[in-house]
Amino acid sequence: MSDFRDLIDSITAASREVAHRNLARVIPEGPWLDWAANLIPGFTLEAVIAWLDAGQPDPGRAADRISAAVPGVMAAAHPTV
């Protein structure tokens, strides 16, 4: 079980690092960037699992629909003026 946990932890850390690097282009450094970088990988994974659980509706558009939700998280993390 430990090998599996280590693999998952490694994938999670890599996903967060990639998300942080890419989100830093549009969200200022700070706690909201960290929040979004931690949330988006897990959110996306859960969205795919929920789609599978829902019977895989509209498979040709599923990726587009899931991708459409990510900018909402990014907007929530972006500072308001």
Side-chain angles (χ1 to χ4, degrees):
M1 180 84 162
S2 178
D3 290 340
F4 181 70
R5 178 81 259 158
D6 293 344
L7 175 62
I8 295 302
D9 289 347
S10 173
I11 291 169
T12 300
S15 297
R16 287 179 177 158
E17 181 183 323
V18 169
H20 194 280
R21 185 174 54 247
N22 287 300
L23 291 169
R25 297 176 191 160
V26 294
I27 299 172
E29 190 68 37
W32 287 110
L33 171 58
D34 297 340
W35 173 78
N38 285 320
L39 177 60
I40 288 174
F43 170 82
T44 305
L45 177 60
E46 288 298 321
V48 171
I49 291 168
W51 173 76
L52 291 168
D53 288 345
Q56 303 176 23
D58 195 14
R61 301 247 9 258
D64 292 336
R65 289 175 178 258
I66 292 169
S67 295
V70 172
V73 175
M74 291 171 62
H78 206 278
T80 57
V81 249

